[in-house]
Amino acid sequence: MWEPILIAGGVAVFLGVFGGLMTPIGGWYRNLRKPPWQPPDWLFGPAWTLILGMAAASAVLAWRAAPDATSQRDIVILFVTNALAHAAWSPLFFRARRPDWAMIEVVFLWASLVALVVGLWPISPLAAWLIAPYLAWVSFAAWLNWTIVKLNRPFGVRPKEV
């Protein structure tokens, strides 16, 4: 009975901690040109905490509402796919310093969320709705990512040696 809650909660905590560790706010990031509508840096931690908590609740609701083992397997596949896509974005943007690569990756993260909403809806509409804020935030983050790429490109260009 508690196992789905512990697993979903543990994964949410892991993703939150991992994302935080992969998101150094240092000189490189501070020196990027950003749009005036970018939220303040302090907002991202609470937003992701709430979003990942809602995703964990969604996973538990869907798991419990699943009519059979095949549906439960499908739910796990959807959430694992999303977790992998979620975990890939921050290292690309912040550690590799490649917002352009992160912009490509965010498409997969966004698609994994659409797949979650579509896949969960027949099992638990409430579980699907709990993913909606995550999808909205990633949509906004993709727009922000795209704007940062536009304002700061090119990335990964090495200076020519003399």
Side-chain angles (χ1 to χ4, degrees):
M1 176 164 206
W2 287 96
E3 190 174 82
I5 295 170
L6 294 174
I7 292 170
V11 170
V13 169
F14 172 80
L15 288 173
V17 170
F18 180 79
L21 292 172
M22 292 293 113
T23 307
I25 304 296
W28 173 82
Y29 178 74
R30 284 191 182 91
N31 289 326
L32 288 174
R33 290 186 298 264
K34 298 174 205 74
W37 45 266
Q38 176 176 327
D41 292 341
W42 63 263
L43 181 64
F44 287 88
W48 279 118
T49 300
L50 180 62
I51 287 164
L52 291 172
M54 292 173 73
S58 170
V60 172
L61 284 171
W63 179 266
R64 290 184 174 166
D68 54 37
T70 300
S71 295
Q72 288 178 327
R73 182 205 65 212
D74 293 345
I75 291 165
V76 169
I77 290 169
L78 287 168
F79 276 99
V80 166
T81 301
N82 171 256
L84 293 172
H86 179 96
W89 188 87
S90 286
L92 289 171
F93 191 101
F94 290 98
R95 294 292 176 164
R97 297 181 177 179
R98 294 302 303 256
D100 51 343
W101 293 352
M103 187 63 234
I104 295 165
E105 194 283 333
V106 81
V107 172
F108 295 97
L109 175 55
W110 190 87
S112 76
L113 291 164
V114 171
L116 271 169
V117 171
V118 170
L120 296 178
W121 188 265
I123 297 166
S124 171
L126 178 56
W129 275 112
L130 286 171
I131 299 298
Y134 189 177
L135 179 58
W137 185 255
V138 167
S139 298
F140 173 76
W143 181 33
L144 177 59
N145 190 161
W146 180 74
T147 303
I148 289 171
V149 169
K150 272 184 40 180
L151 291 172
N152 295 278
R153 66 178 163 216
F155 292 96
V157 176
R158 295 180 187 210
K160 293 182 181 181
E161 293 189 29
V162 180

